[in-house]
């Protein structure tokens, strides 16, 4: 069987030590502290967040650690263990949207977004990043970076939002604004909410209706894989993954145009109407009949059915109906492939191999166009299923995939 690398999560001790060391080696002084925030996998509910829908992420045990110290001026210097010799610099004074290029846009953008939100006390900083969240894998390495930075800045500048779940929504807004407006990568809030609001052993049922307050829009759903003797395998296909290449924005624009055509604020309204109707199948058909073109019909069908699948998955998993939970994983992927058209051959093939080898269900996770799949398998089978996917990838001449073992871990926190 082909071998496949499993990516381990950095331990608390190693993350703190490595980030602290990178900071002092680079800036020749001690940091003020170390903070960390995780990547995520979304169990189900894909491309629903920006449609005011439902999604269901868990935080990964894989985290980004940042050692940080505030500065008395407006300068920012950031370094990452990926390229320890390359320190990126920026100045917050007079900074405009998209004014920083490269990866530094993500952390610098958080400070910029907090200042834009009126937190004028937020100023410059030096920061060193160490991460085990695989980059460009659809596992939210960017949210892990922006959210760890937001927690650090909240702490060192005494904003006081990091210590409560409701307060963290302010930090989530800054992290999102950084990604959207400074890094130019569209994101709808799923990743940042997961990184800052998940709790161990639970999936976060996130309701993205804008009218809900922070206290109303999440509920913690038990997600205990051990109880059902299961594992959640993640396979990073290593197919190139880019969310800022226009495809994501295009999907989003089509959904917004569809909502306008249907005379509603967002597609969630339509989805709820359909779900509550006497004959949801007929009601969906009538809705789609009102849309002008095939592409728009497909996109709407995905969003409407995916929101319903989140509800069904939560119910099935809570009942211990793993066959049904797996079926919903499969239906979600198939809808993303056929209707939302965000999969690539690597994702489809990885999912097929998992399904053909005993997985209860398998689906892509995240934005798509590359990235990772998740598969629900019996305990002890992850290695074997991952190896079979790797073998098929060799045959297909794809990049070698990587894997990791996922479970519902904790959200971001101060580490030292
Ligand atoms: C990316 C975005 C999220 C979400 C997913 C798709 O991860 O950052 O906001 O839209 O794609 O569900």
């Amino acid at each position: 069987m082909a071998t496949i690398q499993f990516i381990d999560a950095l331990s608390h001790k190693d993350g703190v030590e490595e980030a602290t060391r990178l900071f002092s080696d680079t800036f020749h002084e001690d940091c003020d502290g170390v903070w960390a925030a995780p990547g995520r996998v979304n169990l189900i509910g894909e491309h629903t967040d920006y449609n005011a829908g439902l999604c269901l992420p868990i935080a990964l045990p894989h985290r980004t650690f940042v050692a940080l110290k505030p500065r008395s001026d407006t300068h920012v210097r950031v370094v990452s263990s990926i390229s320890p010799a390359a320190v990126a610099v920026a100045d917050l004074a007079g900074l405009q949207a998209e004014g920083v290029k490269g990866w530094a846009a993500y952390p610098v953008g958080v400070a910029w977004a907090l200042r834009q939100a009126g937190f004028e006390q937020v100023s410059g900083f030096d920061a060193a990043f160490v991460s085990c969240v695989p980059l460009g894998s659809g596992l939210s390495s960017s949210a892990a970076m922006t959210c760890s930075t937001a927690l650090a800045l909240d702490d060192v500048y005494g904003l006081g939002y990091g210590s409560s779940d409701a307060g963290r929504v302010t930090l989530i807004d800054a992290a999102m604004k950084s990604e959207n407006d400074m890094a130019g990568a569209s994101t709808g809030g799923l990743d940042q909410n997961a990184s800052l609001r998940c709790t161990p052993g639970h999936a976060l049922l996130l309701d993205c209706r804008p009218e809900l307050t922070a206290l109303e829009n999440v509920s913690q759903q038990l997600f205990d894989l051990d109880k059902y003797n299961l594992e959640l395998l993640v396979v990073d296909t290593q197919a190139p993954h880019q969310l800022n290449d226009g495809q994501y924005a295009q999907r989003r624009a089509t959904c917004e145009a569809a909502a306008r055509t249907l005379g509603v604020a967002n597609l969630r309204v339509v989805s709820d109407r359909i779900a509550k109707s006497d004959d949801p199948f007929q009601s969906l058909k009538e809705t789609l009949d009102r849309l002008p073109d095939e592409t728009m019909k497909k996109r709407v069908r995905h969003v409407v059915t995916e929101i319903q699948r989140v509800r069904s998955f939560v119910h099935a998993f809570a009942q211990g109906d793993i066959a049904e939970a797996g079926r919903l994983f499969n239906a979600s992927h198939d809808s993303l492939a056929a209707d939302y058209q965000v999969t690539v051959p690597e994702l489809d093939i990885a999912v097929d191999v998992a399904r053909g080898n005993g997985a209860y269900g398998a689906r892509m996770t995240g934005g798509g166009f590359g990235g990772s799949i998740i598969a629900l398998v019996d305990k002890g089978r992850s290695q074997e299923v991952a190896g079979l996917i790797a073998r098929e990838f060799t045959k297909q001449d794809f990049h070698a995939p990587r894997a990791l073992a996922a479970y519902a871990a904790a959200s971001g926190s101060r580490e030292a």
Side-chain angles (χ1 to χ4, degrees):
M1 178 159 346
T3 54
I4 179 164
Q5 182 206 351
F6 267 71
I7 304 165
D8 290 332
L10 266 172
S11 68
H12 160 81
K13 182 169 172 287
D14 289 352
V16 168
E17 276 176 15
E18 287 178 32
T20 307
R21 196 176 328 118
L22 180 61
F23 188 97
S24 52
D25 287 354
T26 308
F27 304 118
H28 309 294
E29 57 177 339
D30 291 338
C31 60
D32 264 17
V34 179
W35 294 258
R40 61 99 188 92
V41 293
N42 189 22
L43 296 175
I44 196 159
E46 222 65 86
H47 289 278
T48 51
D49 58 353
Y50 55 83
N51 287 303
L54 300 171
C55 33
L56 190 71
I58 58 169
L60 287 171
H62 300 69
R63 292 162 87 82
T64 294
F65 291 77
V66 58
L68 186 142
K69 180 174 184 165
R71 296 172 59 97
S72 52
D73 57 19
T74 53
H75 294 168
V76 178
R77 296 186 296 174
V78 288
V79 68
S80 137
S81 58
I82 293 175
S83 185
V87 178
V89 296
D91 190 347
L92 294 171
L95 186 60
Q96 304 287 324
E98 305 205 357
V100 179
K101 299 294 165 220
W103 73 270
Y106 291 89
V108 175
V110 176
W112 170 79
L114 287 169
R115 285 159 67 97
Q116 293 270 310
F119 299 109
E120 281 154 20
Q121 67 269 48
V122 174
S123 195
F125 60 93
D126 292 331
F129 291 89
V130 170
S131 182
C132 60
V133 185
L135 299 182
S137 305
L139 302 174
S140 294
S141 56
S142 53
M145 177 171 272
T146 53
C147 291
S148 57
T149 306
L151 280 175
L153 294 176
D154 176 72
D155 235 348
V156 299
Y157 283 111
L159 308 186
Y161 289 99
S163 51
S164 72
D165 180 59
R168 285 180 171 214
V169 172
T170 299
L171 305 182
I172 288 167
D173 287 345
M176 282 174 67
K177 191 172 170 61
S178 169
E179 295 190 37
N180 285 326
D181 299 345
M182 189 56 73
S186 297
T187 174
L190 154 67
D191 314 337
Q192 300 74 14
N193 274 281
S195 193
L196 287 179
R197 304 185 77 185
C198 280
T199 57
H202 295 86
L204 185 79
L205 178 57
L206 175 66
D207 187 330
C208 301
R209 280 177 293 168
E211 62 270 27
L212 299 184
T213 68
L215 296 174
E216 297 164 338
N217 71 353
V218 296
S219 77
Q220 303 286 344
Q221 303 287 324
L222 261 187
F223 188 67
D224 184 355
L225 292 162
D226 276 343
K227 181 173 170 197
Y228 302 122
N229 231 1
L230 294 171
E231 285 174 356
L232 188 67
L233 166 67
V234 181
V235 177
D236 166 16
T237 64
Q238 301 248 57
H241 164 87
Q242 278 280 323
L243 280 188
N244 48 1
D245 68 354
Q247 290 280 354
Y248 182 94
Q250 223 179 61
R251 297 296 182 287
R252 212 170 158 150
T254 303
C255 291
E256 284 161 11
R260 279 196 299 278
T261 304
L262 296 169
V264 290
N266 51 57
L267 292 182
R268 170 64 177 277
V269 177
V270 177
S271 170
D272 283 356
R273 264 186 213 156
I274 292 173
K276 285 186 195 124
S277 71
D278 293 338
D279 183 349
F281 189 77
Q282 180 60 22
S283 172
L284 174 60
K285 185 178 172 304
E286 284 166 15
T287 304
L288 299 182
D289 284 345
R290 291 169 58 199
L291 296 171
D293 68 83
E294 266 319 298
T295 303
M296 198 180 262
K297 288 180 206 285
K298 286 180 170 193
R299 306 294 189 252
V300 171
R301 185 165 53 203
H302 167 73
V303 173
V304 167
T305 56
E306 183 77 353
I307 292 171
Q308 191 48 40
R309 278 188 289 272
V310 177
R311 293 195 184 96
S312 305
F313 182 90
V314 167
H315 182 74
F317 202 85
Q319 302 292 310
D321 188 349
I322 305 307
E324 175 64 2
R327 192 194 66 74
L328 290 159
F329 263 27
N330 292 344
S332 169
H333 182 88
D334 296 347
S335 173
L336 287 157
D339 278 350
Y340 221 65
Q341 297 178 295
V342 292
T343 68
V344 293
E346 285 89 337
L347 291 169
D348 294 330
I349 287 173
V351 155
D352 281 350
V353 173
R355 290 178 189 172
N357 288 281
Y360 292 94
R363 59 179 295 275
M364 56 153 274
T365 186
F369 309 110
S372 299
I373 68 127
I374 51 177
L376 207 48
V377 300
D378 281 326
K379 200 171 196 156
R381 291 214 57 235
S382 286
Q383 194 88 34
E384 181 195 346
V385 173
L388 291 166
I389 292 172
R391 189 174 74 179
E392 186 59 27
F393 272 38
T394 309
K395 272 198 214 150
Q396 301 276 347
D397 227 8
F398 292 161
H399 290 296
R402 302 181 292 183
L404 52 96
Y407 58 86
S411 64
S413 52
R414 184 168 190 157
E415 304 286 312

